Amino acid sequence: MPPAASLRLPLLVALLVGLPVFWAFPDELPCLRGTAIVTGWIGCGLLLASLLLMVREPGLASWLGGLERMYLWHHRLGVVAYLVLLAHPLALAAASWGEGPALAWAILSPWQQSWPGWLGWASLLCLMGGTGAALARRLPYGAWRQLHWLLAAAIILGLAHLLLLGLTLSLVWAPLLAIAFIAWRLLRSDLGLAARPYIVSQVDHPADAMVEVTLRPLDSALPALPGQFVLAAFGSAQGFHGGGEYHPFTISGIGSDGRIALGIKALGDCTRNLQAVTTGVPVRLQGPFGTFLREDEAGPALWVAGGIGITPFLAALRQGPLTGPVCLIYLHRDTRDAAYSGELRALATHEPNLRWQEITCGEGLPDLAAALPAAEELAGHACYLCGPPGLIEAAGALLQQRGVAIRHIHFERFDFR
Amino acid sequence: MMRRLFLAGTLLFWLLLSALWLASRQSEPPLADIPAPALRTLPLAEVARHATPADCWMAIDGMVYDLTAYLPDHPSKPSIIEPWCGREASEAYRTKTKGRPHSPEAEKLLPTFRIGRVAQP
């Protein structure tokens, strides 16, 4: 990512935090009382930024460095906002500590509050529950998603807390912006107003526990490129029930008529269910997202694919021809797992720039030291990694050991939880 | 990393809150009432002479309060409370934030600032 582009996101966060703090800064209050007010507004600003970063718009995602980067910052800012907002009531109590512990407790005690205090407490507890649930990785996806509503409730209750405390006109934009970000996400993404209608026109099973669906656009097609991914919500038809929830899938093929192919491995409840999808099922697509394979790097490239991680490279090869020499290393557990092997072999015969190697590595981590090229062969290469997180970490570390600079190693973790 | 921060922050918050509650249980009640008969009688004209944030008296429900020391601690923005300095503020006190009364905490706190009774005309 160019340095200028990488600065956009932190600058935007600084703006969304700095503006409310600037407008609400208490000039003449004692230190701790002022700290309490400032922590409240810093927390609000961080939550505002976190809310903006959950908006899924391809243009915004591209401008801010990708959806994955936005989600990473969304999570980090949410946790930091929570911690700063915990300090807000504690600083309020500390400001009254000099007048005695009883008064300091009375500032916080829910039994001695009126509506602004109760709403503040309710907001903080919702934020606590929602943040805890968002960080609970073992929580089933459905429950995890539902508990996110606690965070939305925390925002609304927090806004009511502010309004009842007497929000001045110069700060009204902050709650309005927060509501706008929530509504934007809800309407455009969750309710699918930004999505385009497609229909499953073809279903293939290129390997065990894997399906490739080809989607035909029913309206204008998404302007997708190899390496990108879409958010797809499968509907119901002919006995198949897709559930209608949006999940990310990497594009494995792009047709000249706007068709999009998605290679889907059975890795969870949703993807297991999708193995039974049939033609005629309606699908709604949002995107495209991601900059993988679009980095501005000339010269030779090394592509390392693990299992289903072959899909972005396959999309590029299917679209062909390659503009420079590429060495593709395709790692899979066993031959039944080796999706698209035959097609890759056929593509390689027509693609003089492609040198590829298929490695069956069984269970456990593959022998990357033997699989990856030696240091002298990697000189001047841009490296692209796609596969399970363990493989990406191990391959990335090994490539760095062999002299590849981190800026030439590209990958997407594809982790939106 | 984020999960550890969340757990540490949450734990610390509840520990501090519990410590504050325990400390409040062991301390003397600070909000002792001032006996009303000992108060002087002050006309509203006298109250009106104390109409700045640096010297702020208010008349509320027949009593006069010197709220100068409290103004910096008031939860709302200064622009909401300061215009009431030097004035009869009973209605504003009872109907803050769209008609809602002040909290029980405020009711306990207010008598500590009492300095007199409003003189009857």
Side-chain angles (χ1 to χ4, degrees):
Chain A
M1 192 188 315
S6 67
L7 283 176
R8 285 178 195 139
L9 205 156
L11 284 176
L12 193 63
V13 174
L15 192 71
L16 287 172
V17 174
L19 281 179
V21 171
F22 171 75
W23 262 306
F25 196 80
D27 288 321
E28 295 164 4
L29 290 187
C31 178
L32 279 171
R33 179 96 196 151
T35 304
I37 292 173
V38 167
T39 50
W41 281 106
I42 289 176
C44 287
L46 289 168
L47 281 179
L48 257 183
S50 181
L51 286 174
L52 173 63
L53 296 177
M54 73 174 188
V55 169
R56 296 192 303 222
E57 292 289 343
L60 182 69
S62 175
W63 191 70
L64 291 175
L67 200 61
E68 191 177 338
R69 186 164 184 253
M70 284 172 69
Y71 273 42
L72 183 70
W73 278 68
H74 164 72
H75 290 146
R76 286 179 180 169
L77 291 174
V79 173
V80 175
Y82 165 72
L83 294 174
V84 172
L85 287 170
L86 283 184
H88 169 63
L90 293 176
L92 278 177
S96 298
W97 181 261
E99 294 167 62
L103 184 58
W105 169 248
I107 296 290
L108 297 187
S109 167
W111 293 273
Q112 298 181 56
Q113 303 295 317
S114 56
W115 276 106
W118 291 327
L119 287 165
W121 262 113
S123 173
L124 199 64
L125 291 175
C126 283
L127 195 61
M128 194 175 282
T131 309
L135 293 168
R137 301 188 73 85
R138 289 183 187 168
L139 210 59
Y141 180 74
W144 177 83
R145 209 175 141 77
Q146 290 301 320
L147 284 168
H148 250 65
W149 285 106
L150 277 175
L151 295 172
I155 302 285
I156 304 295
L157 290 164
L159 298 182
H161 167 73
L162 280 173
L163 289 170
L164 288 187
L165 280 176
L167 197 63
T168 54
L169 272 179
S170 59
L171 281 163
V172 165
W173 63 269
L176 290 179
L177 207 54
I179 290 168
F181 290 156
I182 293 174
W184 189 357
R185 163 64 193 252
L186 199 65
L187 296 173
R188 295 270 300 164
S189 300
D190 296 309
L191 296 179
L193 290 186
R196 300 203 193 166
Y198 281 72
I199 193 162
V200 177
S201 60
Q202 190 179 330
V203 177
D204 298 295
H205 292 275
D208 277 3
M210 183 168 171
V211 66
E212 183 174 63
V213 292
T214 303
L215 310 174
R216 178 168 56 82
L218 297 176
D219 195 345
S220 57
L222 293 177
L225 294 167
Q228 291 192 296
F229 64 94
V230 291
L231 295 165
F234 287 80
S236 302
Q238 300 168 22
F240 173 80
H241 299 288
E245 270 186 2
Y246 286 93
H247 291 275
F249 298 104
T250 302
I251 295 166
S252 58
I254 301 161
S256 55
D257 57 354
R259 287 177 200 240
I260 283 177
L262 307 175
I264 301 167
K265 176 99 175 164
L267 295 171
D269 293 341
C270 167
T271 47
R272 262 192 295 276
N273 179 49
L274 283 174
Q275 301 303 307
V277 72
T278 56
T279 55
V281 169
V283 185
R284 295 185 68 76
L285 293 188
Q286 292 177 37
F289 299 102
T291 56
F292 193 61
L293 295 182
R294 289 167 60 202
E295 283 80 5
D296 191 17
E297 291 233 32
L302 170 70
W303 293 353
V304 180
I308 189 65
I310 190 67
T311 47
F313 306 123
L314 179 68
L317 289 170
R318 281 172 167 172
Q319 197 170 56
L322 297 173
T323 54
V326 169
C327 171
L328 166 64
I329 296 171
Y330 179 22
L331 304 148
H332 48 73
R333 297 255 175 243
D334 57 52
T335 47
R336 287 174 304 160
D337 235 14
Y340 309 112
S341 266
E343 185 178 353
L344 285 167
R345 205 167 291 119
L347 284 165
T349 58
H350 303 293
E351 182 52 85
N353 272 327
L354 177 67
R355 185 163 55 89
W356 82 297
Q357 186 186 3
E358 190 176 7
I359 300 172
T360 304
C361 45
E363 295 304 318
L365 266 179
D367 181 7
L368 288 173
L372 296 181
E376 56 272 19
E377 293 174 57
L378 285 168
H381 276 65
C383 302
Y384 297 86
L385 317 175
C386 189
L391 173 73
I392 289 178
E393 276 178 32
L398 192 64
L399 288 170
Q400 284 185 72
Q401 281 173 25
R402 293 186 179 179
V404 181
I406 187 79
R407 67 178 183 281
H408 296 308
I409 302 174
H410 308 288
F411 55 85
E412 285 185 321
R413 288 192 187 278
F414 225 50
D415 181 9
F416 296 117
R417 243 183 103 160
Chain B
M1 170 70 172
M2 287 292 119
R3 201 157 48 161
R4 281 184 194 163
L5 271 177
F6 169 82
L7 290 172
T10 306
L11 187 67
L12 187 64
F13 174 77
W14 288 114
L15 279 175
L16 287 171
L17 208 64
S18 305
L20 182 59
W21 176 70
L22 282 174
S24 75
R25 300 264 296 176
Q26 288 167 5
S27 67
E28 290 291 317
L31 307 175
D33 207 345
I34 299 170
L39 297 171
R40 54 190 164 144
T41 301
L42 298 159
L44 281 175
E46 175 63 23
V47 174
R49 277 195 279 274
H50 304 271
T52 66
D55 179 17
C56 177
W57 290 12
M58 286 186 209
I60 298 170
D61 293 336
M63 295 293 171
V64 179
Y65 301 90
D66 180 355
L67 295 168
T68 311
Y70 175 67
L71 285 190
D73 291 339
H74 191 258
S76 74
K77 294 275 287 181
S79 57
I80 290 177
I81 187 170
E82 284 174 2
W84 293 99
C85 292
R87 296 171 60 188
E88 158 52 57
S90 305
E91 189 60 20
Y93 179 77
R94 282 194 295 268
T95 62
K96 70 150 196 168
T97 58
K98 301 187 179 66
R100 292 182 181 82
H102 273 76
S103 65
E105 158 59 17
E107 296 290 350
K108 283 167 70 180
L109 195 59
L110 188 60
T112 63
F113 298 101
R114 191 160 61 197
I115 55 170
R117 291 173 182 280
V118 177
Q120 295 303 316

